[in-house]
Amino acid sequence: GTATGGNPGLDPTESTNYDFSLEYYFDDNGAVYGTAFRREIDGLVVPFRSRVNYEGYDYILTRPDNATDGELSGFEFGVVYFPTNLPDFLDGFGIQASYTMLDSEQSNPITNDVGEVVGYQKSPFFAVSDSSYSVVLAYEKSKFSARLSYVWRDDFLNNNEAALFANPLGIYRQAERSMDLQLSYNVSKDLVITFDATNLTDDMNHSYYEFSKTHNFGNYFFSRTFALGMRYVF
């Protein structure tokens, strides 16, 4: 049989970080920037499998453990620009955009039938894409503001298949995207009306086995939501 559980004995995950960034302001309302970074991480929490006996029956127990270390490095480039001298109806328009490249590696433990670690397999970090970007169109006035954002991320390793099927076999998720909208209107200095919409494109997402990208493993949705809100300061 199989079982899952928690682990109250987890240790903190520790990371040594290196960052280097440059910014250039080409205008009072505009800048470009670049950042290089590296993370050396100890004690990553990943699912760990072991064999346990409960009331005379053997189970493969999966629970979180500080079972691996890893490294994460990459670059980020971005721009922020709100043009000046635009016509009145466009005054307040701007753009924010960024692009990120990542390289990650972690050592996942491989266990035998009794739960002993017999080796390690290199893989990317779980839930980390090699590249991603975002673009935000902004409009800002004294009473009204709007943000339309689009976020895209490359496909990524999400998890490993069940212990009885393979040890391990990666499940990847295909590239994901989301378009979101935020609006706000200042009725007065104390009252603000807001409207938020997420995942406007309402795309279906897919996952696939590590060695068969053309064969679908599953489908999933991130819900499209609409929210109307109010903020009042007393």
Side-chain angles (χ1 to χ4, degrees):
T2 60
T4 59
N7 185 357
L10 288 175
D11 293 322
T13 298
E14 298 183 350
S15 175
T16 302
N17 302 335
Y18 306 91
D19 296 90
F20 179 77
S21 63
L22 290 174
E23 299 176 352
Y24 174 67
Y25 295 86
F26 57 86
D27 189 85
D28 289 342
N29 299 313
V32 293
Y33 66 88
T35 301
F37 53 88
R38 180 181 177 87
R39 311 282 184 262
E40 298 174 356
I41 306 173
D42 297 321
L44 276 170
V45 178
V46 296
F48 183 78
R49 296 166 183 162
S50 60
R51 181 181 291 270
V52 297
N53 187 279
Y54 180 72
E55 295 185 347
Y57 293 94
D58 284 337
Y59 294 87
I60 297 177
L61 172 65
T62 301
R63 63 176 185 167
D65 201 352
N66 302 97
T68 182
D69 302 325
E71 294 183 356
L72 178 69
S73 59
F75 301 90
E76 181 179 7
F77 306 95
V79 60
V80 179
Y81 185 44
F82 282 78
T84 56
N85 301 319
L86 291 175
D88 287 343
F89 70 98
L90 289 178
D91 184 40
F93 172 80
I95 185 171
Q96 298 171 289
S98 66
Y99 175 75
T100 304
M101 298 181 296
L102 288 173
D103 182 35
S104 66
E105 184 179 80
Q106 64 182 14
S107 302
N108 300 306
I110 299 175
T111 56
N112 59 16
D113 291 341
V114 296
E116 299 171 336
V117 177
V118 295
Y120 290 87
Q121 183 182 62
K122 301 288 187 180
S123 81
F125 273 30
F126 293 121
V128 172
S129 298
D130 289 341
S131 61
S132 61
Y133 69 85
S134 66
V135 179
V136 180
L137 300 179
Y139 187 71
E140 194 74 38
K141 287 290 191 179
S142 59
K143 283 186 169 292
F144 175 76
S145 66
R147 298 287 188 277
L148 180 65
S149 63
Y150 182 82
V151 179
W152 177 92
R153 62 180 299 184
D154 203 356
D155 57 351
F156 59 92
L157 175 64
N158 186 69
N159 62 281
N160 286 330
E161 177 59 293
L164 291 184
F165 184 84
N167 188 2
L169 182 62
I171 302 297
Y172 279 73
R173 288 189 176 182
Q174 290 185 350
E176 297 175 349
R177 62 196 60 82
S178 180
M179 181 177 288
D180 306 323
L181 176 67
Q182 296 175 313
L183 304 175
S184 66
Y185 181 75
N186 300 324
V187 180
S188 67
K189 67 177 183 178
D190 300 322
L191 178 62
V192 179
I193 303 298
T194 63
F195 175 77
D196 296 276
T198 62
N199 193 24
L200 290 173
T201 55
D202 202 25
D203 290 329
M204 177 184 290
N205 299 287
H206 306 281
S207 58
Y208 61 91
Y209 280 121
E210 180 176 1
F211 301 111
S212 57
K213 189 171 183 177
T214 59
H215 292 74
N216 195 42
F217 176 80
N219 305 317
Y220 56 97
F221 280 102
F222 295 112
S223 298
R224 181 168 54 184
T225 63
F226 303 93
L228 185 64
M230 178 182 70
R231 296 195 303 269
Y232 187 79
V233 179
F234 296 94

